[in-house]
Amino acid sequence: MSRNLKLAAALREHGFTQQELAERLNAVQCRRTGRYGTLSDKSIRRWLSGECGWPHARQRDALMEVFKCPVEDLGFVPRRRRRSSRAPEEPVNRRTFIGATAGVTAVALPSSAAAATVVGMSDARRLEEQLAALNAVNDTQGGHRALELAALKGAEACRETLTHSATQRVRARIYAVAAQFASAAAWSCIDTGDLVQASRYGQSSLTLAGLSGDGATQVAAWNTVSFVAVQQGNPSESLAALKAALTSAEARRDPFYASLLHASAACDHATRAERQAALRRLGRAADALARAQTKARPSWAQSYGPGEMHTLTAKVHLTLGDPASAEYAAHHALTTIPPALRRNRGFATMRLAFAQLHQGERELAMATAGTAYGIARELPDPGRLNTMLADFRAAAR
């Protein structure tokens, strides 16, 4: 007796627990025979352990419908019947009839099974890989129209995938990917200045994140909605979105997300001239990030870290009228932001240029802004960075 590794792999691929598979198979048997099946999680464990190597016929039919493959591909081995030497040979006609009906069954099952494609974890992982590639482009090049269209195409692929049969676990994971695609489209529109579309995509992301039930995705959606509100000049609405995200279980469980949300909230408090609240939020962001463990997180979160937190700190101090502290934070940002994140380095460079300008170091500030201008020329659509450069030129005059 050996463990059925093929069946175990099929369960992982489709996201089934043992109880979920038993319930799905019982439901298939009920639809076919009018009687609910008698399988339980104990039955599935017997299959997995190899104690039962060949299920009953009705169970085999249900397995083929659920997994869309022969039961032999699931690691089951037909029993070998012992033939008595004294048993009479079966008539030719009977053997022919049995062979013919078996052939009909083998042909009919795939045709009925093909009516409903089963989506598994491998489909969700494939969509996540596409999302990660888009987020990598966004982190290095910033948002642009082609990236927006690619993100919309990814979200549509998720919706198409969800029209097929899948377990609740797989569906939740694909909803999470769809929400993150919508967020990626929103951030592209923020960079290109299309705030109307950015708002629509942000709300779509929020809806899909709710359907996913995934805490990290919900944090991403609230953060997107918050930043759209900032760009629309509504810090109060942005702060409300961030506070909603901070009450989530994910933000309470993982200090990394709490740090991101506190740092963003500090910017909103600074815009509202709430100095003490802004500084308190910065302190919480730094403390939370220091407690955050290094572990795998969704691709949308890869651009946040000490460098981005220092950039937001510089933004807060500039808004509060403390350019010396802003310069200190901007220098720290530029020493910690990875070179590949060109857009983020451009933002940090402009924070440094503004801090130098507000301290009367005009020539040094102009040289720093020139570095940011060089970065902007490398980006496909440096919308936000160009806006910062225009504001700098106006302030320098």
PDB file of all heavy atoms in Angstrom, residues 138-157:
ATOM      1  N   ASN A 138       5.635  48.864 -13.677  1.00  0.00           N
ATOM      2  CA  ASN A 138       5.165  50.075 -13.003  1.00  0.00           C
ATOM      3  C   ASN A 138       6.219  50.601 -12.024  1.00  0.00           C
ATOM      4  O   ASN A 138       6.451  51.808 -11.937  1.00  0.00           O
ATOM      5  CB  ASN A 138       3.862  49.778 -12.260  1.00  0.00           C
ATOM      6  CG  ASN A 138       3.310  51.002 -11.565  1.00  0.00           C
ATOM      7  OD1 ASN A 138       2.983  51.996 -12.181  1.00  0.00           O
ATOM      8  ND2 ASN A 138       3.214  50.935 -10.248  1.00  0.00           N
ATOM      9  N   ASP A 139       6.858  49.688 -11.289  1.00  0.00           N
ATOM     10  CA  ASP A 139       7.859  50.113 -10.310  1.00  0.00           C
ATOM     11  C   ASP A 139       9.089  50.729 -10.963  1.00  0.00           C
ATOM     12  O   ASP A 139       9.684  51.661 -10.419  1.00  0.00           O
ATOM     13  CB  ASP A 139       8.298  48.913  -9.451  1.00  0.00           C
ATOM     14  CG  ASP A 139       7.194  48.441  -8.510  1.00  0.00           C
ATOM     15  OD1 ASP A 139       6.258  49.227  -8.276  1.00  0.00           O
ATOM     16  OD2 ASP A 139       7.282  47.301  -8.026  1.00  0.00           O
ATOM     17  N   THR A 140       9.468  50.213 -12.118  1.00  0.00           N
ATOM     18  CA  THR A 140      10.700  50.701 -12.755  1.00  0.00           C
ATOM     19  C   THR A 140      10.458  51.859 -13.705  1.00  0.00           C
ATOM     20  O   THR A 140      11.286  52.767 -13.813  1.00  0.00           O
ATOM     21  CB  THR A 140      11.383  49.559 -13.531  1.00  0.00           C
ATOM     22  OG1 THR A 140      10.461  49.004 -14.468  1.00  0.00           O
ATOM     23  CG2 THR A 140      11.838  48.462 -12.580  1.00  0.00           C
ATOM     24  N   GLN A 141       9.306  51.842 -14.414  1.00  0.00           N
ATOM     25  CA  GLN A 141       9.066  52.845 -15.449  1.00  0.00           C
ATOM     26  C   GLN A 141       7.940  53.818 -15.113  1.00  0.00           C
ATOM     27  O   GLN A 141       7.802  54.849 -15.768  1.00  0.00           O
ATOM     28  CB  GLN A 141       8.724  52.152 -16.776  1.00  0.00           C
ATOM     29  CG  GLN A 141       9.804  51.223 -17.287  1.00  0.00           C
ATOM     30  CD  GLN A 141       9.422  50.580 -18.600  1.00  0.00           C
ATOM     31  OE1 GLN A 141       8.462  50.989 -19.246  1.00  0.00           O
ATOM     32  NE2 GLN A 141      10.153  49.560 -19.004  1.00  0.00           N
ATOM     33  N   GLY A 142       7.120  53.475 -14.135  1.00  0.00           N
ATOM     34  CA  GLY A 142       5.951  54.303 -13.863  1.00  0.00           C
ATOM     35  C   GLY A 142       4.793  53.909 -14.772  1.00  0.00           C
ATOM     36  O   GLY A 142       4.922  53.075 -15.667  1.00  0.00           O
ATOM     37  N   GLY A 143       3.630  54.514 -14.498  1.00  0.00           N
ATOM     38  CA  GLY A 143       2.441  54.180 -15.270  1.00  0.00           C
ATOM     39  C   GLY A 143       2.413  54.857 -16.624  1.00  0.00           C
ATOM     40  O   GLY A 143       2.984  55.925 -16.821  1.00  0.00           O
ATOM     41  N   HIS A 144       1.747  54.227 -17.586  1.00  0.00           N
ATOM     42  CA  HIS A 144       1.546  54.801 -18.909  1.00  0.00           C
ATOM     43  C   HIS A 144       0.369  54.087 -19.562  1.00  0.00           C
ATOM     44  O   HIS A 144      -0.165  53.118 -19.013  1.00  0.00           O
ATOM     45  CB  HIS A 144       2.809  54.690 -19.782  1.00  0.00           C
ATOM     46  CG  HIS A 144       3.450  53.340 -19.766  1.00  0.00           C
ATOM     47  ND1 HIS A 144       4.279  52.905 -18.746  1.00  0.00           N
ATOM     48  CD2 HIS A 144       3.377  52.306 -20.633  1.00  0.00           C
ATOM     49  CE1 HIS A 144       4.702  51.689 -19.001  1.00  0.00           C
ATOM     50  NE2 HIS A 144       4.164  51.288 -20.132  1.00  0.00           N
ATOM     51  N   ARG A 145      -0.041  54.567 -20.717  1.00  0.00           N
ATOM     52  CA  ARG A 145      -1.252  54.064 -21.348  1.00  0.00           C
ATOM     53  C   ARG A 145      -1.164  52.579 -21.670  1.00  0.00           C
ATOM     54  O   ARG A 145      -2.120  51.829 -21.438  1.00  0.00           O
ATOM     55  CB  ARG A 145      -1.523  54.869 -22.638  1.00  0.00           C
ATOM     56  CG  ARG A 145      -2.730  54.410 -23.445  1.00  0.00           C
ATOM     57  CD  ARG A 145      -4.020  54.520 -22.684  1.00  0.00           C
ATOM     58  NE  ARG A 145      -5.161  54.194 -23.528  1.00  0.00           N
ATOM     59  CZ  ARG A 145      -6.390  53.929 -23.071  1.00  0.00           C
ATOM     60  NH1 ARG A 145      -6.624  53.947 -21.764  1.00  0.00           N
ATOM     61  NH2 ARG A 145      -7.366  53.649 -23.890  1.00  0.00           N
ATOM     62  N   ALA A 146      -0.035  52.125 -22.181  1.00  0.00           N
ATOM     63  CA  ALA A 146       0.104  50.711 -22.524  1.00  0.00           C
ATOM     64  C   ALA A 146      -0.022  49.837 -21.279  1.00  0.00           C
ATOM     65  O   ALA A 146      -0.616  48.749 -21.323  1.00  0.00           O
ATOM     66  CB  ALA A 146       1.441  50.465 -23.212  1.00  0.00           C
ATOM     67  N   LEU A 147       0.512  50.316 -20.161  1.00  0.00           N
ATOM     68  CA  LEU A 147       0.422  49.560 -18.919  1.00  0.00           C
ATOM     69  C   LEU A 147      -1.028  49.510 -18.427  1.00  0.00           C
ATOM     70  O   LEU A 147      -1.493  48.479 -17.938  1.00  0.00           O
ATOM     71  CB  LEU A 147       1.318  50.192 -17.851  1.00  0.00           C
ATOM     72  CG  LEU A 147       1.455  49.428 -16.532  1.00  0.00           C
ATOM     73  CD1 LEU A 147       2.003  48.027 -16.770  1.00  0.00           C
ATOM     74  CD2 LEU A 147       2.358  50.192 -15.576  1.00  0.00           C
ATOM     75  N   GLU A 148      -1.728  50.611 -18.564  1.00  0.00           N
ATOM     76  CA  GLU A 148      -3.149  50.636 -18.193  1.00  0.00           C
ATOM     77  C   GLU A 148      -3.936  49.602 -18.987  1.00  0.00           C
ATOM     78  O   GLU A 148      -4.735  48.827 -18.427  1.00  0.00           O
ATOM     79  CB  GLU A 148      -3.728  52.029 -18.429  1.00  0.00           C
ATOM     80  CG  GLU A 148      -5.232  52.115 -18.169  1.00  0.00           C
ATOM     81  CD  GLU A 148      -5.857  53.364 -18.773  1.00  0.00           C
ATOM     82  OE1 GLU A 148      -5.109  54.261 -19.215  1.00  0.00           O
ATOM     83  OE2 GLU A 148      -7.102  53.439 -18.824  1.00  0.00           O
ATOM     84  N   LEU A 149      -3.718  49.560 -20.305  1.00  0.00           N
ATOM     85  CA  LEU A 149      -4.442  48.613 -21.153  1.00  0.00           C
ATOM     86  C   LEU A 149      -4.084  47.171 -20.809  1.00  0.00           C
ATOM     87  O   LEU A 149      -4.946  46.289 -20.818  1.00  0.00           O
ATOM     88  CB  LEU A 149      -4.148  48.900 -22.628  1.00  0.00           C
ATOM     89  CG  LEU A 149      -4.664  50.242 -23.164  1.00  0.00           C
ATOM     90  CD1 LEU A 149      -4.215  50.439 -24.607  1.00  0.00           C
ATOM     91  CD2 LEU A 149      -6.181  50.325 -23.055  1.00  0.00           C
ATOM     92  N   ALA A 150      -2.808  46.932 -20.510  1.00  0.00           N
ATOM     93  CA  ALA A 150      -2.385  45.580 -20.131  1.00  0.00           C
ATOM     94  C   ALA A 150      -3.040  45.161 -18.819  1.00  0.00           C
ATOM     95  O   ALA A 150      -3.450  44.001 -18.651  1.00  0.00           O
ATOM     96  CB  ALA A 150      -0.869  45.524 -20.018  1.00  0.00           C
ATOM     97  N   ALA A 151      -3.160  46.092 -17.879  1.00  0.00           N
ATOM     98  CA  ALA A 151      -3.808  45.780 -16.603  1.00  0.00           C
ATOM     99  C   ALA A 151      -5.290  45.479 -16.807  1.00  0.00           C
ATOM    100  O   ALA A 151      -5.834  44.558 -16.198  1.00  0.00           O
ATOM    101  CB  ALA A 151      -3.629  46.951 -15.639  1.00  0.00           C
ATOM    102  N   LEU A 152      -5.950  46.238 -17.674  1.00  0.00           N
ATOM    103  CA  LEU A 152      -7.363  45.979 -17.964  1.00  0.00           C
ATOM    104  C   LEU A 152      -7.544  44.620 -18.629  1.00  0.00           C
ATOM    105  O   LEU A 152      -8.503  43.891 -18.344  1.00  0.00           O
ATOM    106  CB  LEU A 152      -7.922  47.077 -18.871  1.00  0.00           C
ATOM    107  CG  LEU A 152      -8.015  48.476 -18.248  1.00  0.00           C
ATOM    108  CD1 LEU A 152      -8.555  49.467 -19.267  1.00  0.00           C
ATOM    109  CD2 LEU A 152      -8.899  48.442 -17.006  1.00  0.00           C
ATOM    110  N   LYS A 153      -6.625  44.277 -19.503  1.00  0.00           N
ATOM    111  CA  LYS A 153      -6.673  42.965 -20.148  1.00  0.00           C
ATOM    112  C   LYS A 153      -6.502  41.853 -19.114  1.00  0.00           C
ATOM    113  O   LYS A 153      -7.170  40.813 -19.185  1.00  0.00           O
ATOM    114  CB  LYS A 153      -5.572  42.869 -21.204  1.00  0.00           C
ATOM    115  CG  LYS A 153      -5.634  41.610 -22.053  1.00  0.00           C
ATOM    116  CD  LYS A 153      -4.585  41.634 -23.152  1.00  0.00           C
ATOM    117  CE  LYS A 153      -4.654  40.355 -24.004  1.00  0.00           C
ATOM    118  NZ  LYS A 153      -3.613  40.378 -25.081  1.00  0.00           N
ATOM    119  N   GLY A 154      -5.626  42.065 -18.144  1.00  0.00           N
ATOM    120  CA  GLY A 154      -5.437  41.083 -17.093  1.00  0.00           C
ATOM    121  C   GLY A 154      -6.688  40.919 -16.235  1.00  0.00           C
ATOM    122  O   GLY A 154      -7.072  39.799 -15.882  1.00  0.00           O
ATOM    123  N   ALA A 155      -7.348  42.046 -15.914  1.00  0.00           N
ATOM    124  CA  ALA A 155      -8.582  41.974 -15.134  1.00  0.00           C
ATOM    125  C   ALA A 155      -9.667  41.236 -15.899  1.00  0.00           C
ATOM    126  O   ALA A 155     -10.435  40.450 -15.324  1.00  0.00           O
ATOM    127  CB  ALA A 155      -9.046  43.384 -14.769  1.00  0.00           C
ATOM    128  N   GLU A 156      -9.738  41.466 -17.209  1.00  0.00           N
ATOM    129  CA  GLU A 156     -10.723  40.772 -18.035  1.00  0.00           C
ATOM    130  C   GLU A 156     -10.427  39.278 -18.099  1.00  0.00           C
ATOM    131  O   GLU A 156     -11.345  38.448 -18.082  1.00  0.00           O
ATOM    132  CB  GLU A 156     -10.723  41.366 -19.443  1.00  0.00           C
ATOM    133  CG  GLU A 156     -11.774  40.777 -20.371  1.00  0.00           C
ATOM    134  CD  GLU A 156     -13.184  40.927 -19.842  1.00  0.00           C
ATOM    135  OE1 GLU A 156     -13.472  41.952 -19.191  1.00  0.00           O
ATOM    136  OE2 GLU A 156     -13.994  40.005 -20.073  1.00  0.00           O
ATOM    137  N   ALA A 157      -9.145  38.915 -18.149  1.00  0.00           N
ATOM    138  CA  ALA A 157      -8.773  37.495 -18.139  1.00  0.00           C
ATOM    139  C   ALA A 157      -9.218  36.836 -16.838  1.00  0.00           C
ATOM    140  O   ALA A 157      -9.664  35.678 -16.835  1.00  0.00           O
ATOM    141  CB  ALA A 157      -7.265  37.346 -18.319  1.00  0.00           C
TER     142      ALA A 157
END
